């Protein structure tokens, strides 16, 4: 069997690495196609190195652009590779423009698409990610839903065939790397941090960074934090802060350490030892519940409602009073902190990668890995 992986951003590399590894353990060599949606060393190559994915077959160098530019150029370049390689299946993960481009290019060549992390919905169609997820799911033949909730979302859109609940590969990634991170990373010493005495912040989503008003609200929250906070900053956010004239202001916050984006081992160690995580990231919301760190999500919705239900995550939006209320409660109310920190991980047992590979090999063996004319026959 010849699988192809299409990926291009930081979270896709992290979440697909366990699947690629599971194929390799069965002596199946996948074709690795990196679109180049993320291209800075610390947004891409550092993860390829840390996760030992240095044998990329195609670097497409798509880069940044408007939504249509980025997706369109990626589609054109992916199509060329898929036409040449004719893999048996194309795997994509998540909800980025790379995913949409990979899924569309593939299904139109009648190469079946397997979507890892299928069925997530924020129910906010103004987010580029929501459009990408919906379209990728509907273009996919095999849908790997991380939870039953995700499976239900697919059912509600009429997708019942080809859906497998396998857990989320982020658990595999955390389990495979947390201990290595604990041993190897010197990030706490480097930043002068004591375990559980600081907050980790990451914010990069378009809805928070593309408007000056929202970015200003974020800065106000950070200015009011009562303990030290570390913010490994996504380049998108840094660019916008500069554009909106907020960069000098955020740099002046005494309690805040801004760093470039961190590698996976450093970031995992930083997260694991934090008292609180504040984020708008999907992957970081998932990891914080896996690592038993309470998460305050700086958004008004989440496509990871399982974390809220489990009690490990609270939506605070960009509401300063609400955010500060929960920060203070987590710092001062030990029972509340312990309750959030002990919320049960809803994303599975860390064997999602293996399950995905097993299912795909089985479908292939039985001649079922193909684009069918209808889902309903
Ligand atoms: C993308 C995904 C988002 C995901 C995030 C992971 C889409 C629509 N969004 O957002 O869902 O959460 O990746 O991090 O696909 N930039 C650099 N260097 C890089 C990459 C980006 O400077 O290596 C800057 C560029 O100015 C670029 C901006 O960041 O215009 C945004 O990058 P882009 O890939 O368009 O989207 P992300 O915000 O990274
Ligand atoms: N991450 C990292 N370094 C950082 C910030 C995040 O390694 O400086 C990792 C994090 O552990 C998680 C993933 O990147 O696994 C999340 O990616 P991101 O927040 O960019 O995207 P999202 O999950 O929101 O799509």
């Amino acid at each position: 069997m010849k699988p192809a992986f299409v990926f291009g951003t930081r979270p896709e590399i992290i979440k697909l690495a366990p699947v690629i590894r599971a194929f390799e353990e069965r002596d199946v060599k996948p074709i690795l196609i990196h679109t180049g949606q993320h291209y800075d060393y610390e947004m891409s190559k550092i993860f390829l190195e840390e996760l030992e994915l240095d044998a990329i077959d195609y670097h497409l160098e798509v880069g940044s652009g408007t939504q249509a530019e980025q997706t369109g150029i990626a589609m054109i370049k992916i199509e060329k590779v898929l036409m040449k390689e004719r893999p048996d299946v194309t795997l994509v993960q998540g909800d980025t423009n790379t995913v949409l481009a990979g899924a569309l290019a593939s299904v139109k060549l009648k190469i079946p698409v397997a979507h890892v992390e299928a069925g997530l919905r924020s129910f906010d169609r103004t987010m580029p990610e929501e459009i990408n997820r919906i379209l990728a799911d509907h273009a996919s033949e095999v849908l790997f839903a991380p939870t039953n909730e995700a499976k239900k979302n697919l059912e509600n859109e009429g997708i019942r065939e080809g859906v497998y609940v396998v857990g989320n590969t982020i658990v595999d990634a955390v389990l495979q790397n947390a201990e290595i991170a604990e041993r190897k990373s010197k990030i706490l010493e480097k930043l002068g941090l004591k375990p559980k005495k600081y907050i980790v912040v990451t914010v990069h989503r378009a809805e928070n960074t593309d408007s000056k008003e929202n970015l200003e609200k974020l800065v106000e929250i950070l200015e009011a934090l009562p303990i030290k906070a570390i913010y490994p900053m996504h380049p998108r956010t840094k660019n916008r802060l500069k554009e909106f004239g907020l960069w000098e202001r955020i740099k002046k916050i005494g309690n805040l350490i801004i760093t470039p984006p961190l590698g996976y081992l450093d970031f995992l160690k930083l997260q694991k030892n934090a008292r609180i995580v504040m984020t708008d990231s999907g992957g970081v919301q998932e990891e914080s519940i896996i690592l038993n760190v309470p998460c305050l999500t700086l958004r008004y919705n989440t496509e990871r409602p399982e974390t809220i239900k489990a009690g490990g995550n609270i939506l605070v939006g960009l509401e300063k009073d609400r955010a500060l209320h929960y920060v203070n409660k987590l710092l001062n109310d030990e029972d509340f902190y312990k309750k959030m920190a002990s919320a049960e991980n809803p994303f599975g047992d860390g064997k999602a990668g293996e399950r995905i590979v097993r299912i795909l090999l089985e479908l292939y063996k039985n001649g079922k890995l193909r684009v069918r004319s209808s889902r309903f026959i």
Side-chain angles (χ1 to χ4, degrees):
M1 177 182 173
K2 184 170 164 181
F5 283 79
V6 175
F7 52 90
T9 68
R10 166 168 82 183
E12 293 163 75
I13 299 171
I14 293 169
K15 289 178 170 179
L16 282 175
V19 190
I20 295 169
R21 186 152 305 137
F23 268 120
E24 287 172 349
E25 276 164 11
R26 288 167 184 251
D27 291 327
V28 177
K29 162 77 187 87
I31 315 279
L32 303 184
I33 306 166
H34 190 315
T35 61
Q37 177 170 344
H38 285 174
Y39 43 86
D40 290 345
Y41 175 78
E42 62 268 21
M43 293 298 289
S44 170
K45 194 148 192 287
I46 190 167
F47 301 101
L48 301 176
E49 288 171 1
E50 286 182 337
L51 303 170
E52 294 171 4
L53 296 177
D54 22 30
I56 301 294
D57 297 285
Y58 296 92
H59 283 283
L60 303 185
E61 295 177 5
V62 170
S64 306
T66 65
Q67 294 291 312
E69 277 165 0
Q70 194 174 51
T71 313
I73 294 169
M75 260 186 92
I76 292 167
K77 293 188 167 186
I78 293 165
E79 184 184 55
K80 285 203 174 83
V81 176
L82 295 179
M83 281 164 76
K84 180 172 155 226
E85 293 283 354
R86 297 291 327 175
D88 295 305
V89 61
T90 303
L91 287 101
V92 292
Q93 188 284 330
D95 52 22
T96 65
N97 288 344
T98 290
V99 171
L100 178 59
L104 285 182
S106 183
V107 69
K108 291 196 164 201
L109 291 171
K110 300 183 190 58
I111 299 167
V113 178
H115 189 198
V116 178
E117 208 180 65
L120 272 62
R121 296 290 182 267
S122 67
F123 301 102
D124 176 0
R125 293 178 69 256
T126 66
M127 293 171 69
E129 291 87 357
E130 184 77 349
I131 302 298
N132 292 344
R133 288 180 198 116
I134 293 171
L135 297 178
D137 282 339
H138 284 263
S140 292
E141 210 56 36
V142 190
L143 298 101
F144 293 114
T147 62
N148 282 320
E149 201 134 345
K151 183 181 176 205
K152 260 184 230 136
N153 289 335
L154 293 169
E155 274 171 14
N156 290 341
E157 292 174 17
I159 306 178
R160 294 182 174 80
E161 301 277 310
V163 180
Y164 301 86
V165 178
V166 292
N168 195 312
T169 59
I170 194 69
V171 186
D172 310 29
V174 169
L175 296 185
Q176 286 167 20
N177 293 290
E179 197 228 318
I180 306 173
E182 203 51 42
R183 224 173 342 106
K184 283 198 177 165
S185 167
K186 298 281 167 269
I187 192 73
L188 300 193
E189 294 87 326
K190 217 160 127 188
L191 298 177
L193 300 170
K194 295 214 168 62
K196 304 296 162 188
K197 299 282 184 218
Y198 63 89
I199 297 172
V200 170
V201 180
T202 83
V203 172
H204 72 280
R205 290 302 180 101
E207 69 263 29
N208 282 337
T209 59
D210 281 0
S211 112
K212 182 175 180 189
E213 198 190 330
N214 285 347
L215 258 191
E216 215 157 8
K217 286 186 184 172
L218 171 69
V219 175
E220 279 168 20
I221 291 173
L222 298 178
E223 283 171 337
L225 290 180
I227 63 165
K228 205 178 248 188
I230 320 304
Y231 186 166
M233 196 176 280
H234 191 293
R236 176 190 200 107
T237 316
K238 188 169 180 181
N239 291 343
R240 291 284 188 260
L241 283 164
K242 287 187 172 166
E243 207 176 302
F244 296 140
L246 293 165
W247 179 241
E248 293 307 321
R249 183 168 157 196
I250 199 171
K251 274 205 320 191
K252 278 203 200 102
I253 303 175
N255 260 345
L256 184 70
I257 302 177
I258 298 173
T259 73
L262 297 174
Y264 196 46
L265 299 180
D266 278 346
F267 192 74
L268 269 183
K269 178 142 186 191
L270 194 67
Q271 261 192 109
K272 187 164 177 241
N273 289 287
R275 175 82 177 186
I276 305 169
V277 163
M278 298 177 81
T279 193
D280 64 4
S281 158
V284 176
Q285 287 175 66
E286 292 160 352
E287 284 168 345
S288 62
I289 198 166
I290 299 166
L291 295 167
N292 300 112
V293 181
C295 182
L296 301 177
T297 293
L298 297 158
R299 287 173 49 184
Y300 294 90
N301 61 50
T302 178
E303 56 291 312
R304 275 92 177 167
E306 300 89 346
T307 58
I308 310 266
K309 237 187 236 166
N313 187 10
I314 296 173
L315 292 180
V316 297
L318 290 173
E319 306 303 318
K320 184 173 145 193
D321 290 347
R322 184 170 163 82
L324 265 292
H325 167 76
Y326 283 112
V327 167
N328 285 315
K329 212 165 151 63
L330 284 166
L331 293 178
N332 303 319
D333 180 341
E334 210 53 31
D335 288 343
F336 183 72
Y337 167 78
K338 280 192 184 137
K339 200 158 172 238
M340 275 194 86
S342 58
E344 202 175 322
N345 155 35
F347 297 115
D349 57 3
K351 296 188 176 134
E354 271 172 51
R355 273 187 208 106
I356 288 169
V357 166
R358 217 173 43 229
I359 291 164
L360 288 175
L361 289 172
E362 189 71 17
L363 288 171
Y364 176 71
K365 199 174 86 191
N366 296 330
K368 288 191 174 157
L369 203 49
R370 61 193 164 80
V371 178
R372 292 164 299 166
S373 58
S374 164
R375 281 191 203 280
F376 305 105
I377 51 169

